[in-house]
Amino acid sequence: MNKQSLVITAFAVLVVVLLTVVRSCDAEREATIDSDDLQPVTVMLDWTPNVNHVGLFIAQTEGFFADEGLRVEIIEPGEVYPAAAVLSGRVEFAVDYQEYLTLLSEEQTGLVSIAALLQGNTSGFATRSADGIESIANFADLTYGSFAAPFEEPTLRALLECAGSEDGVESITFVPVGSDSLTMLDQRRADIVWIFYGTQGFQAEEIGAEIDYFPMRDHTDCIPDYYTPILIAAQEYITAEPETVRQFLAALDAAYNFIAEQPGRAAEALADAIPELNRAELRRSVPWLTQHTHDSNGTWGGQEEEVWSEYAAWMHRQGLLSARVDKTKLRALFTNEYLPQ
Amino acid sequence: MFGGLLVAWLTLIALTRLPPFILPAPQQVLAEIVLDRAILFPAVLTTLGASLTGLLIAILLAFLASMVMDLSPSILRACYPLVVLSQTVQILAIAPLIIIWFGFGVQSTLIIVVLFCFFPITIALVNGLRHTPAEYTRQFRAMHASKWQIWRFVRLPSALPAFCSGVRVSAAYAVISATIGEWVGGSSGLGVYILRSKNALQTAQVFAGMLLCSALSMLLFGAIVLLERTSLRRYRQYNNTFEQLKIISKGEEWI
């Protein structure tokens, strides 16, 4: 073998070796899947891991998924829409929102909400305390930090109207803030931002930013309450694997009961699972979240038809949906059938 | 130089009084690296592995593509715009497609690294091959060298410096493109660490990840330069041959 072919061979070997090494890092967990009889399923989050996902991580770390015979891989969406990942069959379950699923209802995608991760909406609008904004009516002429969702403008328009503001949503300047809403609010680049209280509300406390908070929950007479986030799956998969769906939800139900009973331990477990998160923040946000995980009967995951129908009707009134969502279509959007009885 | 950057960083903090969740101090960032070493070490390995593998695949592909495009001017004319087009693709827009087709995990990251790194090498190598001094090829043709021999002994060696600078540019891109790949659909690596930390408003962690990315990029760049220097010795030999040929072709040392 001459020098030249030696170099080429060495290069080829290097590529193969590196590919194998890189693959094997990835395949480590797959190897463990093969080593037991647990059924592998994948669930995709709607964002990077945060307090809203505590049930999924607790079911994982405390072994509730394994008790149900499942080996669950939790993956992050990156730049993929969770709904698209479910439809493509790459993942079995995903975390999504009622807003998006309702918007998608016109496309007849066959996506179904199988459980509400939280009972109702825990999001709301935040402003700087220093600005002394006392009511939503004062939102006019301010700057709103947008994350570019289609329902932001209709939501603000409706809230302003209900608050009796003379100026419409047109008086509000929209600026893009992406995921930096709190930073932009604190640094006066935006005056209003839409936050999930469980994450950014507690982050604000952590960084010492004083905010006034206007929960969506206080304005359900204006905009009907809705479930956010929810768990979705494809109807095709649910029909094919009803038992897996039941097991998955049973494990989550157990996990949420565990969190309700021992929120402190759940916070530590989540911080251990995702060390990037702020442990001090989780110690306060996880116990807070437990107020919103179960309904008044102490049941986790249930969804009411009224919540789905009223929000869909509101979206239609706002022009977000071109047609009314009829009862058949509506009932295809969610189900309580696979929750533990 | 790095000392200057550090001073600038510290001055910026002192002057602007930006809160640490926007601009953390260098000591906070270093503390995060030490504190999070248990998760950062595997993250660094994942990202470095993906960058290096992606870069090598890109080199291989760029080499093959340049050879094909070098076959004839019409192939070159047909393919060159496609190579340029590959760089105009907005990665974020096609990211969901890449991930849905190739799945979550390292393969999607690799595709993005290759997409980034393939371009500078191909362009440089094609250019290098096209700009072989005509006098050398003429000389070889006069000596009845075959097309392959001319490619192998004249054109390829003379294109090597261009090729090397292409690889150098790609090496500088490799780590950042790997973190972008992880960002759009990875489950581990520095990109994931940075994204999770950013959304958790843990800015010192974000900077720690960023610092490690820069360190990896420079390491890779340095390694390529070193590799280039070692192989340069052989190239210098060629260069001497060229010089001799030049003299020969001018007939100054002939007879």
Side-chain angles (χ1 to χ4, degrees), chain A residues 40-44 71-75 90-94 248:
Chain A
V41 294
T42 309
V43 55
M44 184 191 259
R71 175 166 304 276
V72 176
E73 192 189 349
I74 303 173
I75 60 174
R90 283 275 168 198
V91 304
E92 285 83 12
F93 303 103
F248 186 72

Side-chain angles (χ1 to χ4, degrees), chain A residues 213-232:
Chain A
Y213 179 59
F214 304 88
M216 289 289 285
R217 204 171 271 258
D218 290 356
H219 301 275
T220 48
D221 49 337
C222 181
I223 299 173
D225 196 17
Y226 51 90
Y227 299 114
T228 173
I230 55 175
L231 265 180
I232 61 165

Side-chain angles (χ1 to χ4, degrees), chain B residues 91-140:
Chain B
I91 294 280
L92 287 189
I94 61 155
L97 283 179
I98 294 182
I99 284 152
I100 282 162
W101 286 334
F102 299 97
F104 289 91
V106 78
Q107 59 273 35
S108 292
T109 307
L110 281 181
I111 286 171
I112 289 173
V113 176
V114 172
L115 207 58
F116 270 93
C117 294
F118 166 80
F119 181 72
I121 310 173
T122 312
I123 295 297
L125 188 53
V126 166
N127 212 34
L129 285 171
R130 278 168 58 85
H131 289 89
T132 315
E135 53 217 275
Y136 306 156
T137 28
R138 263 207 306 277
Q139 185 67 35
F140 266 67

Side-chain angles (χ1 to χ4, degrees), chain A residues 103-172:
Chain A
L103 278 178
L104 280 174
S105 66
E106 300 198 317
E107 318 272 337
Q108 306 266 2
T109 53
L111 289 172
V112 183
S113 169
I114 53 171
L117 280 184
L118 296 175
Q119 286 299 315
N121 196 340
T122 58
S123 74
F125 292 90
T127 58
R128 282 180 301 275
S129 296
D131 289 354
I133 294 158
E134 280 168 5
S135 113
I136 287 180
N138 303 121
F139 280 9
D141 298 324
L142 296 179
T143 301
Y144 168 69
S146 159
F147 49 91
F151 39 80
E152 289 176 273
E153 197 185 308
T155 301
L156 276 168
R157 178 186 297 124
L159 285 174
L160 279 175
E161 274 170 22
C162 295
S165 162
E166 283 171 18
D167 301 291
V169 71
E170 295 73 25
S171 69
I172 296 179

